[in-house]
Amino acid sequence: MSFFDQIYFKIFGKGSSDKPPIVVDEIIKRNSAFAFKYEEWKKSPDCEGFLSDVNKSFNLSKQGMYNDPEVIIHEGINSNGFAISYPERLDKSSFHFFFDYLADQVKKLNYKLNISKQTLKENGEYVEKKEMHYLKPKNNFVTPIDQKYGNVQIEYIELNNEPRRIKFIVNSYPDSNYTKALSFHSLVKNIFEPES
C-alpha cells in the first residue's frame, strides 16, 4: 500500500475494523458564550485569512501540490470530499469555529441540519472526540427528488484534546428517483467564499 493510500485510508476511515468503545454519544449543544465568540470570529480577519488559505490549499491539492493547511481531496462517482489537517499556527478555537462555519455555509444553499452530535471514544492510549454535522437538502419530495449536491457530513476530530482534522464528505444518490447531483467543485467554491 502506498504512503498516500495509508494516509487516505486513515483520514477517510477505511482502516482497521477494530473500533474503540464509545463512552459518550450525545447531541451537540452550543452555549451562548461559544455562539458569541463564533459570531465575532466570522467577522474577523482571521476567518477571512483562513478561508483564503484553505481555498488555496484545496486548489493546489487538485494539482497534486501541498500547502499549509494540508488538504487531501477524495473524488468518486457518488462520494466526494476533502480533509483539512489542523495547522498548528492556527489557534484551536478558530479551527473549531471553521467546522461550524462549513455547516452554516451549506445551510445557505437550501440545506437543513439533520443532526449534530458528538462522540468520545477511549482506547487506553488516546481519547478521540468527534463532532459531526449531517445536512440534507430541503425539498418537497416530488419525483425526481432534487438532491442538490447530495447529503453532506462534516466531522471535527480531536485526539487527546488536540485538533487533528476536519472532514467534509458529500454523498449523492445515483438512481432515477433523484436529480443528478450538482458539481462538488461548485459546492466547494460556495462554501469557501468569505461572508460579506
Side-chain angles (χ1 to χ4, degrees):
M1 182 180 295
S2 74
F3 176 71
F4 178 80
D5 287 338
Q6 291 173 15
I7 292 173
Y8 175 85
F9 290 147
K10 184 175 180 183
I11 289 175
F12 287 100
K14 300 194 184 279
S16 171
S17 61
D18 296 332
K19 295 182 178 177
I22 296 174
V23 293
V24 173
D25 187 350
E26 62 189 10
I27 300 299
I28 294 173
K29 294 178 183 173
R30 301 287 191 227
N31 62 33
S32 57
F34 182 98
F36 176 79
K37 289 177 184 175
Y38 170 59
E39 291 301 321
E40 291 296 304
W41 175 81
K42 286 196 297 183
K43 300 171 192 168
S44 73
D46 292 343
C47 174
E48 187 174 344
F50 188 61
L51 286 174
S52 177
D53 290 347
V54 171
N55 194 28
K56 182 178 179 183
S57 291
F58 183 88
N59 289 318
L60 287 171
S61 184
K62 287 193 297 186
Q63 302 169 38
M65 297 185 287
Y66 294 94
N67 193 42
D68 181 36
E70 184 179 15
V71 173
I72 295 177
I73 299 173
H74 162 69
E75 292 182 286
I77 297 171
N78 300 309
S79 179
N80 295 282
F82 59 86
I84 304 169
S85 297
Y86 171 63
E88 293 187 3
R89 63 181 167 81
L90 189 72
D91 65 274
K92 296 176 186 180
S93 59
S94 290
F95 197 61
H96 199 196
F97 291 151
F98 183 63
F99 163 69
D100 280 5
Y101 178 87
L102 290 171
D104 284 349
Q105 291 297 95
V106 173
K107 284 191 274 187
K108 290 178 182 178
L109 303 172
N110 206 24
Y111 272 71
K112 63 181 179 181
L113 186 61
N114 195 53
I115 190 168
S116 287
K117 70 175 191 172
Q118 67 177 353
T119 57
L120 285 177
K121 297 178 184 178
E122 189 270 324
N123 76 351
E125 296 177 20
Y126 65 86
V127 174
E128 178 191 72
K129 175 185 176 182
K130 183 184 291 185
E131 294 187 8
M132 185 265 292
H133 295 314
Y134 188 71
L135 300 103
K136 291 185 173 185
K138 294 178 182 177
N139 56 57
N140 56 10
F141 298 101
V142 174
T143 306
I145 297 170
D146 181 7
Q147 68 174 320
K148 301 189 185 348
Y149 301 97
N151 295 336
V152 177
Q153 182 169 317
I154 309 166
E155 296 178 357
Y156 167 84
I157 300 164
E158 287 184 358
L159 291 181
N160 294 333
N161 294 317
E162 293 296 321
R164 290 303 175 125
R165 72 186 63 88
I166 290 174
K167 295 194 299 185
F168 185 99
I169 302 164
V170 184
N171 294 303
S172 59
Y173 299 102
D175 67 67
S176 60
N177 290 322
Y178 295 87
T179 59
K180 182 179 178 183
L182 300 172
S183 160
F184 171 67
H185 291 283
S186 67
L187 171 60
V188 170
K189 182 180 177 185
N190 281 322
I191 63 173
F192 288 160
E193 287 179 358
E195 291 187 343
S196 53

